[in-house]
Amino acid sequence: MQISGKTKITGIFGWPVEHTLSPYMQNAAFSHCGLDYRYLPFLVSPDRLSNAIEAIRSLNMCGVNLTIPHKEASLPFLDSVDEEALAIGAVNTIINTKGRLTGHNTDGRGFATALQEQGITLEGCKALIVGAGGASRAVGHYLSRNAKSLHIYNRTHEKAVALASFLSRTTGNAIVVKDLSFLSDYDIIINATSLGLKDDDPLPLDTDLLSPFQIVCDLIYRQTTLLMKAQQKGCRTANGLGMLLWQGAYAFELWTGTRPPVDVMRTALLSIAK
Ligand code: ATR
């Protein structure tokens, strides 16, 4: 489809942004649905974030996704933030409605739908999140509302305490900060640290402590050493590609009002993800 005078522009603001897989799946989805939209990567430094968000209005873009490190920093620059994104404390999708910018967060729903697709339900399970950075927030919010219990561990203890108290406040459910000695207590364990992005990274937890009935998820998009070792222990596993897919599908729906062609988006992602 040609770019025309009516083409609507969406995209992603990140720093860095070169690694993003979202343009592949979003542009495949627009093309499949015959929608005159394009999705572009924008390298936005933290000190330019407010200008970049103002440019969504100035350039009449229909919205953007936000990634590291803008998800939390963007909130003050928006006209409104929906209840879910406020409770998470982060925005991953902005919609521009006639110059009015609203912030949403589709990461938690994306995480849940990706697991449901694999037949994994989070309701009633005892969950542990390892990590207390940006990636932990939406997943932590979803789990604190839907799991039976949620524990958080982080290398920097104070960050785990801060995230647990934030999510406890916004969801009304108690969240406990733990160490990693009792891994067998959990039905589901989620790695939300950056450990595993590089092949020579140490493991985020001791896989010898895992048991076959457990589910181990990694928010990293590919098959990490953690997931391979967990599988060897008989655990069910899920990597972060499903969450990436579904958060993008929900964002697509927010911008276009069209049902997302999830299988087209999945094929586009799988063809590019290594
Ligand atoms: P993201 O937005 O991807 O979550 P982040 O906010 O920088 O990125 O968070 C990275 C997470 O990985 C943090 O929980 C971090 O732990 P600290 O808070 O202690 O920094 C964790 N992490 C990164 N490198 C780590 C390492 N070598 N060992 C343990 N945890 C690590």
Side-chain angles (χ1 to χ4, degrees):
M1 202 187 270
Q2 295 271 351
I3 290 184
S4 72
K6 293 181 190 156
T7 302
K8 295 193 167 83
I9 299 299
T10 64
I12 182 163
F13 293 174
W15 177 263
V17 80
E18 292 84 352
H19 63 282
T20 181
L21 303 181
S22 293
Y24 299 98
M25 68 168 164
Q26 297 293 358
N27 287 316
F30 294 145
S31 166
H32 176 84
C33 297
L35 293 168
D36 191 8
Y37 285 62
R38 291 298 189 284
Y39 187 102
L40 301 169
F42 295 95
L43 183 64
V44 174
S45 63
D47 61 320
R48 295 279 175 181
L49 180 64
S50 67
N51 300 60
I53 290 178
E54 183 52 37
I56 299 171
R57 289 193 192 90
S58 314
L59 302 176
N60 195 32
M61 295 171 70
C62 64
V64 294
N65 281 141
L66 300 173
T67 188
I68 298 169
H70 302 317
K71 290 185 185 185
E72 290 141 81
S74 61
L75 270 75
F77 308 124
L78 302 173
D79 297 307
S80 64
V81 176
D82 81 355
E83 207 181 314
E84 187 179 13
L86 261 187
I88 293 168
V91 163
N92 81 328
T93 304
I94 297 175
I95 306 180
N96 179 8
T97 314
K98 295 183 180 154
R100 196 178 154 72
L101 303 184
T102 52
H104 304 258
N105 196 310
T106 65
D107 285 333
R109 272 176 287 155
F111 170 73
T113 308
L115 292 188
Q116 275 157 20
E117 240 190 351
Q118 292 196 33
I120 298 169
T121 45
L122 302 168
E123 282 69 21
C125 71
K126 291 193 249 171
L128 170 72
I129 297 180
V130 182
S136 313
R137 280 186 169 267
V139 171
H141 172 261
Y142 188 87
L143 285 168
S144 72
R145 297 190 67 166
N146 293 283
K148 184 171 165 195
S149 64
L150 174 61
H151 292 178
I152 298 180
Y153 165 80
N154 193 52
R155 173 181 64 174
T156 309
H157 179 76
E158 301 75 54
K159 276 172 71 180
V161 171
L163 181 60
S165 70
F166 176 84
L167 291 175
S168 298
R169 206 168 53 244
T170 60
T171 64
N173 296 321
I175 296 161
V176 178
V177 175
K178 279 284 196 188
D179 62 28
L180 292 179
S181 330
F182 299 102
L183 287 186
S184 58
D185 285 355
Y186 303 103
D187 303 308
I188 182 163
I189 299 170
I190 296 118
N191 174 41
T193 74
S194 47
L195 290 177
L197 279 174
K198 291 190 257 96
D199 285 336
D200 56 354
D201 277 342
L203 288 166
L205 50 89
D206 182 356
T207 49
D208 285 340
L209 300 178
L210 296 172
S211 325
F213 65 85
Q214 293 178 297
I215 297 163
V216 178
C217 303
D218 205 321
L219 300 188
I220 293 171
Y221 302 155
R222 62 189 176 83
Q223 193 68 353
T224 54
T225 311
L226 169 66
L227 295 184
M228 282 186 278
K229 296 222 174 216
Q231 274 171 4
Q232 284 161 10
K233 295 288 282 186
C235 301
R236 293 178 69 187
T237 62
N239 71 30
L241 206 69
M243 177 177 171
L244 175 69
L245 167 68
W246 281 100
Q247 65 74 33
Y250 290 128
F252 175 96
E253 193 161 9
L254 284 170
W255 292 321
T256 64
T258 303
R259 221 163 125 192
V262 175
D263 287 332
V264 169
M265 298 172 87
R266 191 193 316 273
T267 303
L269 270 185
L270 288 173
S271 69
I272 201 73
K274 284 182 240 104

